Amino acid sequence: MRPEAPAPRAVLACGEVRTCLLPTGQALDSRAAAQLLRLRADERVLVSERPNVYGRSPDTLTGVDCPLPSSNGARVRAVGTVAARAALTEGRVLQTSASFRVPATGPDHRRPWGHYLVRPGVVEPFGKLPRDAVAQGLLDGGGRGELDVGLIAGGLLTRLLRHPLLDHRPPLRSRPTRLRWVALPTRHGEGPSIERFTVEEDELRTVRLRVPEGTRGAEVAGLCEDLALHDWLLTTVVHILDGIRLGPGTPRARPRPGPSGDRPAVVTALRPAVDHLLHLWMPRARVSAELAPLWAALEEQPGFTRQWQVLVQRIRDQLTLHAIPSAHREVEPTP
């Protein structure tokens, strides 16, 4: 591949992250994770074990030539490439992400594809970019025939879920989530900020960011992947707790073969969360130092870690509560 050429200064970045539980009975080890994430033969998968086990694929590029969505109906044709990648956390949570950057202006005619290929992850508009209208259009999702990064992220996720390594026997039920984001430059003298974080519906979240001029697109994508991972963990544990009756009067589960056959239903429902999810909470583990302060805003409102700690404590309290009667039943009074 030809070396990357200097790209025009970006005034808008956009992306979407898909997050789901890896559909396999056991978490993948580092070697299997590298097999899953090997999207290209010419680049290695990045794998690290500190502070947790994490693998990330090399980027793949998708060429696009279509209108950009806009909230005011403006028709802005754009040409370039969208960068996509995949990540696996602790061999258990799979994410795919697609993103691109857009400069303020572009040529008034299409250039040869070689021009765009040496500017990976950059989409150039024809003429001047109506930045704010396009930013809102991207958050809204656009219409038919317009650029949709979610389709690219979703296509990569579908490809990975067909990998022969996966046995499609997940240890718990969960729903995938989508996080759609846009990032604009900060105003003069201001630091990075989250202007809006919205839970649009059960599976969709939208985020509008301000980041310092010159921030690399990969760093913004990494922040949004981290946010999407922890939002998915919160959402999944909330659904687990909402799906069962808590308290000492919970009906017992039907007997199952093996030593866990007489375990109360609540313990059966909560154990997968303990085994597979609770140890994954680690905000900012791979967020750049420049963008890490944005997590402080999320800790204030809506209070991600505070909510997580409350959920974890509820799970532990319920497991403790249901362990006490079991111990009493096992001890017979002395005649």
Side-chain angles (χ1 to χ4, degrees), residues 133-147:
V134 169
Q136 188 58 49
L138 290 165
L139 281 183
D140 293 341
R144 187 172 183 179
E146 296 175 330
L147 179 53

Side-chain angles (χ1 to χ4, degrees), residues 175-187:
R175 304 174 187 176
T177 59
R178 298 179 291 146
L179 185 140
R180 188 181 298 149
W181 59 269
V182 297
L184 297 92
T186 55
R187 299 178 179 89

Side-chain angles (χ1 to χ4, degrees), residues 245-266:
R245 271 184 56 193
L246 298 180
T250 304
R252 299 175 66 81
R254 292 181 179 180
R256 296 180 181 179
S260 63
D262 62 348
R263 181 179 295 143
V266 67

Side-chain angles (χ1 to χ4, degrees), residues 85-272:
R85 66 189 189 186
L88 186 64
T89 301
E90 287 287 351
R92 179 49 73 196
V93 181
L94 178 64
Q95 294 182 285
T96 57
S97 172
S99 62
F100 62 91
R101 294 164 288 144
V102 193
T105 59
D108 57 4
H109 63 280
R110 177 171 166 169
R111 296 179 178 178
W113 269 115
H115 168 84
Y116 303 106
L117 290 176
V118 295
R119 295 169 174 82
V122 175
V123 173
E124 296 183 354
F126 282 23
K128 187 175 180 180
L129 176 75
R131 187 185 68 180
D132 292 337
V134 169
Q136 188 58 49
L138 290 165
L139 281 183
D140 293 341
R144 187 172 183 179
E146 296 175 330
L147 179 53
D148 186 346
V149 290
L151 290 179
I152 297 174
L156 178 55
L157 182 62
T158 299
R159 170 185 168 184
L160 291 172
L161 292 179
R162 293 172 177 164
H163 199 284
L165 278 172
L166 308 181
D167 59 23
H168 295 278
R169 299 174 61 187
L172 55 92
R173 290 185 178 183
S174 64
R175 304 174 187 176
T177 59
R178 298 179 291 146
L179 185 140
R180 188 181 298 149
W181 59 269
V182 297
L184 297 92
T186 55
R187 299 178 179 89
H188 181 68
E190 295 183 354
S193 64
I194 296 177
E195 290 190 336
R196 187 171 65 248
F197 173 76
T198 307
V199 178
E200 302 283 352
E201 51 192 71
D202 233 12
E203 75 280 358
L204 175 64
R205 289 86 171 93
T206 58
V207 183
R208 184 182 173 100
L209 305 166
R210 293 275 181 178
V211 299
E213 186 175 320
T215 303
R216 293 174 57 243
E219 293 179 354
V220 184
L223 167 73
C224 293
E225 289 163 5
D226 194 53
L227 172 56
L229 169 65
H230 292 86
D231 172 79
W232 180 87
L233 286 169
L234 276 174
T235 301
T236 301
V237 173
V238 166
H239 285 163
I240 290 173
L241 287 168
D242 284 349
I244 58 177
R245 271 184 56 193
L246 298 180
T250 304
R252 299 175 66 81
R254 292 181 179 180
R256 296 180 181 179
S260 63
D262 62 348
R263 181 179 295 143
V266 67
V267 177
T268 301
L270 293 177
R271 179 164 181 173

Side-chain angles (χ1 to χ4, degrees), residues 28-83:
L28 298 187
D29 59 25
S30 298
R31 182 176 297 181
Q35 286 182 257
L36 176 73
L37 298 174
R38 196 176 185 213
L39 302 181
R40 290 169 46 180
D42 61 333
E43 287 195 38
R44 295 177 58 188
V45 173
L46 299 177
V47 178
S48 64
E49 297 182 351
R50 301 289 186 274
N52 57 8
V53 180
Y54 174 84
R56 192 179 73 211
S57 76
D59 285 357
T60 63
L61 299 179
T62 301
V64 295
D65 180 351
C66 56
L68 294 172
S70 66
S71 59
N72 62 4
R75 295 285 290 181
V76 182
R77 181 183 170 190
V79 184
T81 60
V82 175

